[in-house]
Amino acid sequence: MKLDQSFWEDKYINNRTGWDIGGVSPQLQKYFSDLTEKNQKILIPGCGNGYEAIWLAQKGFTDVSVIDLAGPPLAHVKSKAPSVKTIQGNFFQLDGHFDLIIEQTFFCALDPSLRPQYVDKMATLLKPKGMLAGLLFSIEFDREGPPFGGSIKEYRQLFEDQFDLITLSPALLSIKPRLGNEVFFEFRKK
Ligand SMILES: C[S@@+](CC[C@H](N)C(=O)[O-])C[C@H]1O[C@@H](n2cnc3c(N)ncnc32)[C@H](O)[C@@H]1O
């Protein structure tokens, strides 16, 4: 299966977006609420309907960018938060430098063979000491993905060369259907 633009756009057009929780995860809301630097450069890749970006923009964060392969959800972001920079394209081809990148069901949407590239790309996109933070699944799924699962052990191995793993622990504020199956993490680029 090719997880390309038409694969994802088809999901949005046909309303087969089971991953979409309709808002910001309480775990991320808590993390965002503790952020004080409103002018930092923030990126949300594979943003889908971009609830995190909309929330941040509405709270006064001035430099929020999102990227997604699919057009329809980006139109949603733009309509709700015109100040957010929306980019339609492939994360792996994005240029730029960010202070903070947010992960929310993007990593799990990628073919697992791309995981080392994901780590390298995040390190390239972050400024020195920049942060990658968000939620990752800590469960292996029975069905073929996406979503593709993972484990704390795997994440540690993937990220520890290029990032300081500040937090990597079970998410206590997951939405109910994901409770016990997600970890919250904060990784600082070395
Ligand atoms: C499972 S969805 C999650 C969307 C959103 N983060 C959410 O939680 O609702 C994965 C998203 O990643 C996007 N995507 C997949 N591969 C991508 C890539 N290489 N570059 C940019 N976006 C990508 C898809 O179009 C889709 O919107």
Side-chain angles (χ1 to χ4, degrees):
M1 192 180 359
K2 220 170 155 216
L3 303 178
D4 57 8
Q5 181 186 349
S6 68
F7 172 88
W8 290 107
E9 289 201 328
D10 180 70
K11 299 273 184 204
Y12 287 101
I13 290 161
N14 295 300
N15 276 322
R16 296 209 317 274
T17 54
W19 62 79
D20 187 320
I21 64 174
V24 183
S25 166
Q27 186 75 53
L28 289 180
Q29 262 194 50
K30 179 178 182 317
Y31 178 69
F32 293 163
S33 301
D34 292 339
L35 298 174
T36 49
E37 177 46 74
K38 298 259 169 143
N39 298 324
Q40 60 181 309
K41 269 179 90 72
I42 302 176
L43 173 70
I44 306 173
C47 62
N49 281 313
Y51 305 107
E52 299 79 18
I54 295 163
W55 193 97
L56 287 164
Q58 288 174 347
K59 297 285 178 198
F61 286 81
T62 58
D63 197 339
V64 181
S65 301
V66 298
I67 181 166
D68 203 289
L69 282 176
L74 292 175
H76 171 259
V77 178
K78 214 46 191 174
S79 71
K80 297 279 184 194
S83 72
V84 172
K85 295 180 196 90
T86 54
I87 304 161
Q88 186 173 7
N90 187 343
F91 162 75
F92 292 100
Q93 289 159 9
L94 181 66
D95 289 324
H97 287 104
F98 299 89
D99 299 295
L100 173 63
I101 305 182
I102 300 299
E103 167 55 54
Q104 165 68 19
T105 50
F106 173 52
F107 180 91
C108 70
L110 299 170
D111 188 285
S113 67
L114 293 172
R115 290 181 177 185
Q117 270 173 259
Y118 171 104
V119 176
D120 291 345
K121 187 67 188 175
M122 288 297 182
T124 306
L125 287 172
L126 283 166
K127 296 179 187 174
K129 306 288 176 201
M131 293 289 282
L132 171 62
L135 292 162
L136 292 166
F137 282 117
S138 52
I139 180 176
E140 291 296 350
F141 298 104
D142 295 336
R143 283 182 296 131
E144 200 201 331
F148 301 97
S151 67
I152 285 187
K153 187 171 170 226
E154 180 191 358
Y155 302 144
R156 191 170 287 130
Q157 283 169 354
L158 273 169
F159 288 94
E160 67 188 355
D161 282 352
Q162 299 187 71
F163 291 84
D164 290 318
L165 311 190
I166 311 291
T167 309
L168 177 56
S169 52
L172 303 177
L173 296 176
S174 291
I175 57 161
K176 245 196 186 147
R178 294 183 189 169
L179 193 60
N181 296 326
E182 276 186 324
V183 286
F184 173 69
F185 72 95
E186 294 168 276
F187 297 162
R188 187 193 297 126
K189 184 185 162 175
K190 283 183 178 170

